[in-house]
Amino acid sequence: MYFYLSANTAKDMGITDFASTSGDHDEFSRHWYLHRVILERRKIFIAMEAHTRYAMIFCGVTKPVLAKFPILFADYLWRHIVSLCAVDDADFGHIRSMAASMCAENVYYKGLNKSVQAHIKDAAHQLEYDLYRYGFPDDPGKEFFLSMNVNKMLRTRHGEKRYIVPLEEFQRLWCEILGVPAAKE
């Protein structure tokens, strides 16, 4: 997995050894941007996939959680995938293993893409509104609900004239990868 870290995220995670930038990255699902915001005096990490602009929200992150972040990220990733795609229960283990192997070796880069950063800021504003409206999540289900709200916002990608909905883009691409239909809402 390739993680592009904002300065505050790198500091919180204690990452000081960065790879040199890789240039363009059109490979779906492997390039994620991480940024930390503070809302309601708690640290929240927003991870955004570069191609689809799909965001995963990690609320109330603490140092012990950061020590196991790649494991936590893999766990969130497979759960988001099976929630969005009509995957048989018997295949959950395979998808969990696939997410774990994707996150087994991580490369960290310093800095954020300006386009992605703008979308992360939009996601943070939406999240701030949702926290005011629904309260701080006290279980993973509520955190997932907040992620879904953030991913229903219209976004753009550099060089494209049409808008995308990250939830639909992420779901479509993962369903193609897995060869399954989209889950019904």
Side-chain angles (χ1 to χ4, degrees), residues 22-84:
S22 64
D24 277 347
H25 45 272
D26 291 331
E27 185 183 6
F28 164 65
S29 80
R30 301 280 303 189
H31 297 268
W32 290 81
Y33 287 84
L34 292 173
H35 183 62
R36 188 253 305 144
V37 296
I38 296 178
L39 298 173
E40 295 188 12
R41 297 186 337 228
R42 297 179 190 162
K43 290 181 181 180
I44 298 173
F45 280 70
I46 300 172
M48 187 169 285
E49 198 276 326
H51 184 71
T52 62
R53 303 299 201 254
Y54 186 83
M56 290 193 297
I57 308 297
F58 301 84
C59 294
V61 178
T62 60
K63 279 195 183 254
V65 169
L66 286 176
K68 300 183 279 184
F69 186 77
I71 296 166
L72 177 67
F73 185 87
D75 186 60
Y76 274 52
L77 181 61
W78 85 266
R79 291 175 189 278
H80 280 248
I81 293 167
V82 299
S83 295
L84 297 173

Side-chain angles (χ1 to χ4, degrees), residues 74-119:
D75 186 60
Y76 274 52
L77 181 61
W78 85 266
R79 291 175 189 278
H80 280 248
I81 293 167
V82 299
S83 295
L84 297 173
C85 302
V87 178
D88 291 330
D89 291 354
D91 292 332
F92 282 17
H94 166 71
I95 294 170
R96 177 188 281 169
S97 297
M98 183 175 62
S101 69
M102 288 173 68
C103 296
E105 291 186 33
N106 299 306
V107 179
Y108 297 100
Y109 299 97
K110 193 173 191 173
L112 296 178
N113 172 299
K114 288 183 182 192
S115 175
V116 175
Q117 180 64 25
H119 292 298

Side-chain angles (χ1 to χ4, degrees), residues 113-128:
N113 172 299
K114 288 183 182 192
S115 175
V116 175
Q117 180 64 25
H119 292 298
I120 289 174
K121 284 182 180 180
D122 290 343
H125 290 301
Q126 176 68 39
L127 185 57
E128 184 175 26

